[in-house]
Amino acid sequence: MGSFESVSEMNQKIAAAFDSVAKQLGNTRAVCKNHYVHPLIVELYKENKLEKYFRGIEEIEVTDEQKQLMIEEKLLLKILKQH
């Protein structure tokens, strides 16, 4: 959702992200927030620490069992392993 200038803008962008996920999955924002989006992702975004993970995304090293994953899934695994 990109960077933000204020807390209000940050909250709007987080809500928009949840709405986008909800639309794609056919659920509500609350269901997506509670069951589909890892809380660490939201916290990293709030702390302006999420964007750094997108640099060099194409160069993520994966194991053989991860080769079939989408790039977003590979990135999420990288983030979770580092925290």
Side-chain angles (χ1 to χ4, degrees), residues 1 38 40-41 44-45 49-63 66-83:
M1 300 309 284
H38 197 286
L40 177 62
I41 301 303
L44 289 172
Y45 179 75
K49 295 180 181 177
L50 187 59
E51 192 172 319
K52 72 178 182 179
Y53 290 98
F54 289 92
R55 292 185 209 113
I57 192 172
E58 299 84 16
E59 300 167 8
I60 293 176
E61 293 182 26
V62 296
T63 62
Q66 295 173 340
K67 289 186 182 206
Q68 300 301 318
L69 298 177
M70 296 184 337
I71 191 69
E72 294 88 350
E73 294 168 321
K74 293 173 187 175
L75 179 60
L76 178 59
L77 287 173
K78 178 182 177 179
I79 293 168
L80 293 176
K81 285 179 183 179
Q82 290 184 0
H83 289 272

Side-chain angles (χ1 to χ4, degrees), residues 32-48:
C32 290
K33 181 178 180 179
N34 293 324
H35 300 286
Y36 289 100
V37 178
H38 197 286
L40 177 62
I41 301 303
V42 178
E43 287 306 311
L44 289 172
Y45 179 75
K46 287 179 177 181
E47 297 170 0
N48 280 317

